[in-house]
């Protein structure tokens, strides 16, 4: 970074010196290329010494998120850089000419300071822009060369687990623990065998699609029931029915979904579920 900026600054200074000398010759003044090179090189030497200030300022701006914060950092860096550049350049010229037996008069005035500040502002914008681009390139190169982290081992998804998602909340549930699921407006309520209830934003249709593989089926327009937890079915003369779960709780169903439960007596208990009795179906006369 330093070498690139130094090369550009030196090239610019040399071109400015020869251009200034040529302009002076055209006006009838002395060509005096040596003096003009000294002015340019003394200025460039101070600029290169102050380069770390601009590097720190650019890096601080890159880490800042707000536009106002970046603008404030840039303004402070510009004012500080210009003040130090003008001071350092003047004293370097005074020292060099004093050692050579001469003198240097900066002709200090507001107009002179504004003249130098204007040039400093252009230099700071160009140098800071170059630093910004070089920093971006360095970060991209570092990211490309950095060894990629090994992918995190994914936990095998268990067919016997589901996740209830509500916004940023995640609740892990064992499907066999679900007794029934009921709609509640824009939410659905999961009732578990231990009495726990989870209210999750969603639709009953979406829950039915996800839970059908666990024998949790619709038994009412607003209810799903876990048929694997049913220990008895009470069929009503009206066609409606009442499910009795293995923990003693009950849930009513409508006749529209009666075919889902009439075959419960012939169901075989799923593997891994400790049960000795098949669901008992009671028909009321």
């Amino acid at each position: 970074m330093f070498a690139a900026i130094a090369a550009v600054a030196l090239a610019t200074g040399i071109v400015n010196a020869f251009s200034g000398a040529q302009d002076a010759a055209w006006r009838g003044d002395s060509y005096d290329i040596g003096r003009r090179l000294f002015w340019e090189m003394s200025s460039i030497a101070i600029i290169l010494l102050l380069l770390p200030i601009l590097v720190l300022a650019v890096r601080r701006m890159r880490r800042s998120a707000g536009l106002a914060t970046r603008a404030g950092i840039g303004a402070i860096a510009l004012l500080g850089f210009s003040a130090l550049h003008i001071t350092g350049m003047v004293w370097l010229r005074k020292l060099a000419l004093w050692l050579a037996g001469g003198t240097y008069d900066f002709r200090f005035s507001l107009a002179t300071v504004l003249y130098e500040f204007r040039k400093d502002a252009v230099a700071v914008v160009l140098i800071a822009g170059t630093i910004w681009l070089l920093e971006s390139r360095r970060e991209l190169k570092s990211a490309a060369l950095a060894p990629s982290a090994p992918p995190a081992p994914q936990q095998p998804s268990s067919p016997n687990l589901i996740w209830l998602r509500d916004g940023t909340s995640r609740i892990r549930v064992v499907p066999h623990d679900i007794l029934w699921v009921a709609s509640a407006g824009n939410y659905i309520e999961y009732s578990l065998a231990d009495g726990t209830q989870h209210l999750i934003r969603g639709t009953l249709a979406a829950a039915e699609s996800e839970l059908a593989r666990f024998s949790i089926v619709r038994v009412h327009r607003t209810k799903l029931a876990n048929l694997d937890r049913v220990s008895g079915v009470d069929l009503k003369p009206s066609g409606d029915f009442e499910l009795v779960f293995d923990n003693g709780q009950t849930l009513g169903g409508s006749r529209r979904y009666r075919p889902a439960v009439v075959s419960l007596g012939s169901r075989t208990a799923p593997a891994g579920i400790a049960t000795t009795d098949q669901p008992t179906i009671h028909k009321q006369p």
Side-chain angles (χ1 to χ4, degrees), residues 53-71:
I53 294 178
L54 297 182
V55 174
L56 293 176
V58 168
R59 289 178 177 174
R60 185 65 179 272
M61 291 172 67
R62 289 173 61 85
R63 291 195 298 266
S64 302
L67 180 60
T69 303
R70 289 182 173 182

Side-chain angles (χ1 to χ4, degrees), residues 50 54 84 90 160 230 233 239 252-253 268:
L50 296 177
L54 297 182
L84 293 174
V90 169
N160 297 321
V230 173
V233 181
T268 302

Side-chain angles (χ1 to χ4, degrees), residues 28-252:
D29 296 336
S30 172
Y31 189 77
D32 199 2
I33 185 61
R35 181 170 60 90
R36 296 186 180 277
L37 281 173
F38 172 66
W39 300 149
E40 293 292 338
M41 294 303 108
S42 59
S43 174
I44 291 173
I46 300 301
I47 288 176
L48 296 180
L49 289 176
L50 296 177
L51 189 59
I53 294 178
L54 297 182
V55 174
L56 293 176
V58 168
R59 289 178 177 174
R60 185 65 179 272
M61 291 172 67
R62 289 173 61 85
R63 291 195 298 266
S64 302
L67 180 60
T69 303
R70 289 182 173 182
I73 295 172
I76 294 172
L78 171 58
L79 293 174
F81 177 91
S82 183
L84 293 174
H85 173 241
I86 294 173
T87 302
M89 175 185 67
V90 169
W91 282 103
L92 178 59
R93 291 174 180 178
K94 284 181 176 292
L95 176 61
L97 290 177
W98 176 78
L99 292 175
T103 59
Y104 174 73
D105 183 11
F106 179 61
R107 298 178 183 177
F108 181 83
S109 68
L110 179 60
T112 305
V113 171
L114 290 178
Y115 171 78
E116 293 294 339
F117 177 78
R118 184 169 63 248
K119 293 195 298 181
D120 285 343
V122 174
V124 165
V125 170
L126 294 177
I127 295 174
T130 303
I131 295 172
W132 190 292
L133 293 176
L134 292 175
E135 286 286 299
S136 299
R137 182 176 179 274
R138 181 180 60 83
E139 291 180 0
L140 290 175
K141 186 176 181 180
S142 298
L145 295 178
S148 57
Q154 296 187 358
Q155 298 180 354
S157 57
S158 171
N160 297 321
L161 292 175
I162 62 172
W163 287 90
L164 306 182
R165 298 176 174 85
D166 185 20
T168 58
S169 301
R170 300 290 186 271
I171 304 171
R172 188 174 68 173
V173 173
V174 179
H176 178 65
D177 293 340
I178 300 174
L179 291 185
W180 69 79
V181 183
S183 64
N186 294 328
Y187 294 83
I188 49 178
E189 184 179 52
Y190 289 76
S191 296
L192 307 186
D194 61 0
T196 304
Q197 294 180 329
H198 298 295
L199 194 63
I200 304 297
R201 181 179 289 274
T203 65
L204 194 65
E208 179 183 15
S209 175
E210 180 182 8
L211 299 175
R213 57 195 175 104
F214 301 110
S215 298
I216 301 177
V217 300
R218 192 181 292 260
V219 295
H220 188 274
R221 182 177 60 85
T222 62
K223 301 171 186 174
L224 307 177
N226 188 347
L227 300 186
D228 286 342
R229 300 298 299 258
V230 173
S231 61
V233 181
D234 189 5
L235 302 177
K236 310 291 185 181
S238 63
D240 293 340
F241 54 91
E242 185 177 69
L243 301 176
V244 181
F245 295 99
D246 52 13
N247 67 345
Q249 298 187 45
T250 60
L251 179 72

